[in-house]
């Protein structure tokens, strides 16, 4: 095959990969926004029983396969930027399935994110092919990433709830709904970051497994159980990335998908620079270009987060349930506190007879159960003057 034909085939496969990833993201977002979306205990079992979930898994697998074949026929500098088209394809698809139009702010956020992502991919590729991770490094990376995922998936992004609370409706109800919406958005971005990190680490571990099968790992050929352990870790991170992205799409589609696409190459770049001896292209200028591209992409994510609607089902689940008002008692119990402070137990004696302790107060029987405490005690009549 000629170079031109290989380039054309790589472009076509990259477009197929982007379409597969976009369709999978839309399917996951629809599944997350459905009223019957599984949540809480038993959510994983219910999710695995849904046919729509397995369609999304199949589309993700098809996208990954097309991307891998495209890298075989075309250069990394061409295939990786085309993979960023996933966000551009998913945005109108998601809006179409939700029966709404894509807003201008969403388009601007997508273009900012796309520009930043292309800039990152353009400078984070290795200047020279790096070595694969050793088995010890692979296990260390897996352990560190697991801790990072636990922190991201269990926490919330700071400021998200406060920002949404300011944009919510007025009053306590608006504050509660705004805080719930901000919690959903912040949690979605945290899960999306964790999903991208998991996918990036899965790619790095796949490279290590490939080297292990080819007996090219540092230190010689690993034992069978070490190879099996690598395969198990790859499966765990790949499936974990899918489940985390599923949780992220409860807060919308565009912003979590943008964060997933950004976190994936970022995690791979960190591993490559820290452990594989890779570097940014153009040296120090590459670092500056990567920082600028990160700021551009962050601007896009902020626009997408502020403009994308959150599914109402997710907001209702995240909103704190208001305590129902206490039902009034069927029978009112008269207070034992008198108008002057002490209880009626301090006033022994028969009704209508002044109390020895308080001669000026006369205890009278209540006319009904609804009689107030003030009616139970009346001033004693003044004594008639002696004749």
């Amino acid at each position: 095959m000629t170079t031109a034909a290989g380039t054309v085939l790589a472009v076509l496969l990259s477009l197929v990969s982007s379409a597969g990833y976009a369709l999978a993201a839309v399917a996951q977002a629809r599944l997350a926004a459905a009223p019957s979306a599984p949540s809480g205990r038993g959510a994983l079992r219910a999710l695995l029983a849904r046919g729509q979930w397995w369609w999304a898994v199949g589309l993700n697998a098809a996208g990954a396969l097309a991307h891998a074949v495209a890298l075989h026929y075309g250069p990394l500098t061409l295939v990786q930027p085309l993979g960023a088209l996933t966000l551009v394809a998913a945005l109108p698809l998601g809006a179409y399935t939700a029966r709404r139009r894509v807003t201008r702010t969403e388009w601007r956020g997508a273009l900012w994110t796309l520009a930043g992502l292309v800039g990152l991919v353009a400078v984070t590729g290795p200047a020279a092919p790096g070595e694969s991770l050793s088995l010890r490094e692979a296990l260390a990376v897996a352990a560190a990433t697991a801790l990072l995922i636990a922190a991201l998936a269990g926490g919330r992004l700071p400021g998200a709830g406060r920002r949404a609370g300011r944009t919510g409706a007025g009053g306590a109800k608006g504050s509660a709904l705004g805080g719930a919406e901000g919690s959903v958005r912040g949690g979605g971005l945290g899960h999306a970051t964790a999903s991208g990190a998991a996918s990036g680490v899965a790619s790095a571990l796949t490279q290590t497994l490939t080297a292990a099968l080819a007996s090219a790992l540092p230190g010689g050929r690993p034992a069978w159980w070490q190879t099996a352990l690598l395969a198990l870790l790859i499966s765990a991170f790949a499936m974990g990335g899918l489940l985390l992205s599923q949780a992220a799409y409860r807060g919308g589609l565009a912003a979590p998908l943008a964060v997933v696409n950004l976190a994936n190459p970022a995690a791979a770049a960190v591993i490559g620079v820290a452990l594989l001896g890779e570097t940014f292209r153009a040296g120090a200028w590459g670092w500056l270009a990567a920082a600028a591209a990160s700021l551009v992409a962050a601007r896009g994510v902020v626009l997408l987060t502020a403009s994308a609607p959150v599914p109402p089902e997710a907001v209702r689940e995240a909103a704190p349930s208001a305590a129902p008002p206490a039902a009034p008692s069927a029978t009112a119990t008269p207070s034992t506190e008198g108008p002057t402070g002490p209880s009626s137990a301090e006033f022994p004696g028969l009704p209508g007879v002044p109390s020895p302790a308080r001669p000026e107060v006369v205890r009278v029987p209540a006319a009904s159960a609804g009689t107030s405490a003030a009616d139970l005690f009346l001033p004693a009549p003044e004594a008639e003057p002696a004749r």
Side-chain angles (χ1 to χ4, degrees), residues 339 362-367 370-378:
V362 177
R363 187 168 180 267
V364 297
T371 305
S372 64
D375 298 332
L376 299 180
F377 301 94
L378 299 175

Short mmCIF file of all heavy atoms in Angstrom, two decimals, residues 339 362-367 370-378:
data_model
loop_
_atom_site.label_atom_id
_atom_site.label_comp_id
_atom_site.label_asym_id
_atom_site.label_seq_id
_atom_site.Cartn_x
_atom_site.Cartn_y
_atom_site.Cartn_z
N PRO A 339 -49.86 31.24 83.14
CA PRO A 339 -49.46 32.54 82.62
C PRO A 339 -48.41 33.20 83.48
O PRO A 339 -47.68 34.05 83.00
CB PRO A 339 -50.77 33.34 82.62
CG PRO A 339 -51.62 32.68 83.64
CD PRO A 339 -51.26 31.25 83.62
N VAL A 362 -56.88 31.64 91.31
CA VAL A 362 -57.89 30.63 91.57
C VAL A 362 -57.85 29.61 90.45
O VAL A 362 -57.80 29.97 89.27
CB VAL A 362 -59.30 31.26 91.65
CG1 VAL A 362 -60.36 30.17 91.84
CG2 VAL A 362 -59.36 32.26 92.78
N ARG A 363 -57.81 28.34 90.75
CA ARG A 363 -57.78 27.27 89.77
C ARG A 363 -59.21 26.93 89.39
O ARG A 363 -60.04 26.62 90.23
CB ARG A 363 -57.09 26.04 90.37
CG ARG A 363 -56.86 24.91 89.37
CD ARG A 363 -55.91 23.89 90.00
NE ARG A 363 -55.64 22.78 89.08
CZ ARG A 363 -56.33 21.65 89.07
NH1 ARG A 363 -57.33 21.48 89.91
NH2 ARG A 363 -56.02 20.70 88.22
N VAL A 364 -59.49 26.98 88.06
CA VAL A 364 -60.82 26.68 87.56
C VAL A 364 -60.71 25.54 86.56
O VAL A 364 -59.68 25.36 85.92
CB VAL A 364 -61.46 27.91 86.88
CG1 VAL A 364 -61.64 29.02 87.89
CG2 VAL A 364 -60.62 28.38 85.71
N PRO A 365 -61.75 24.72 86.40
CA PRO A 365 -61.70 23.61 85.44
C PRO A 365 -61.74 24.13 84.01
O PRO A 365 -62.35 25.16 83.72
CB PRO A 365 -62.95 22.79 85.78
CG PRO A 365 -63.87 23.76 86.39
CD PRO A 365 -63.02 24.75 87.15
N ALA A 366 -61.06 23.39 83.09
CA ALA A 366 -61.06 23.76 81.67
C ALA A 366 -62.41 23.41 81.06
O ALA A 366 -62.99 22.37 81.36
CB ALA A 366 -59.94 23.02 80.93
N ALA A 367 -62.87 24.27 80.18
CA ALA A 367 -64.16 24.01 79.55
C ALA A 367 -64.07 22.95 78.48
O ALA A 367 -64.99 22.20 78.25
CB ALA A 367 -64.71 25.31 78.95
N GLY A 370 -59.50 22.18 74.11
CA GLY A 370 -58.80 23.23 73.37
C GLY A 370 -58.63 24.50 74.15
O GLY A 370 -58.18 25.50 73.62
N THR A 371 -59.02 24.52 75.43
CA THR A 371 -58.89 25.72 76.23
C THR A 371 -57.42 26.03 76.44
O THR A 371 -56.62 25.14 76.74
CB THR A 371 -59.57 25.53 77.59
OG1 THR A 371 -60.92 25.14 77.35
CG2 THR A 371 -59.53 26.81 78.39
N SER A 372 -57.05 27.26 76.28
CA SER A 372 -55.66 27.65 76.44
C SER A 372 -55.27 27.64 77.90
O SER A 372 -56.10 27.66 78.80
CB SER A 372 -55.42 29.03 75.83
OG SER A 372 -56.17 29.99 76.56
N ALA A 373 -53.93 27.65 78.09
CA ALA A 373 -53.42 27.60 79.47
C ALA A 373 -53.77 28.87 80.22
O ALA A 373 -53.91 28.86 81.43
CB ALA A 373 -51.90 27.40 79.44
N ALA A 374 -53.91 29.97 79.47
CA ALA A 374 -54.22 31.23 80.15
C ALA A 374 -55.61 31.23 80.76
O ALA A 374 -55.89 31.99 81.68
CB ALA A 374 -54.10 32.39 79.16
N ASP A 375 -56.50 30.37 80.21
CA ASP A 375 -57.86 30.31 80.75
C ASP A 375 -57.97 29.43 81.98
O ASP A 375 -59.03 29.37 82.59
CB ASP A 375 -58.82 29.79 79.67
CG ASP A 375 -58.88 30.72 78.47
OD1 ASP A 375 -58.65 31.94 78.67
OD2 ASP A 375 -59.14 30.22 77.35
N LEU A 376 -56.91 28.70 82.33
CA LEU A 376 -56.99 27.79 83.47
C LEU A 376 -56.81 28.50 84.79
O LEU A 376 -57.12 27.95 85.83
CB LEU A 376 -55.95 26.68 83.33
CG LEU A 376 -56.08 25.80 82.09
CD1 LEU A 376 -54.97 24.75 82.10
CD2 LEU A 376 -57.45 25.12 82.07
N PHE A 377 -56.22 29.67 84.73
CA PHE A 377 -55.94 30.39 85.97
C PHE A 377 -56.53 31.79 85.87
O PHE A 377 -56.23 32.52 84.93
CB PHE A 377 -54.43 30.48 86.22
CG PHE A 377 -53.78 29.14 86.33
CD1 PHE A 377 -53.20 28.55 85.23
CD2 PHE A 377 -53.78 28.46 87.54
CE1 PHE A 377 -52.62 27.32 85.32
CE2 PHE A 377 -53.19 27.22 87.63
CZ PHE A 377 -52.61 26.64 86.52
N LEU A 378 -57.38 32.12 86.82
CA LEU A 378 -58.02 33.42 86.85
C LEU A 378 -57.69 34.12 88.15
O LEU A 378 -57.46 33.47 89.18
CB LEU A 378 -59.56 33.28 86.74
CG LEU A 378 -60.07 32.60 85.45
CD1 LEU A 378 -61.59 32.42 85.53
CD2 LEU A 378 -59.69 33.43 84.24
#
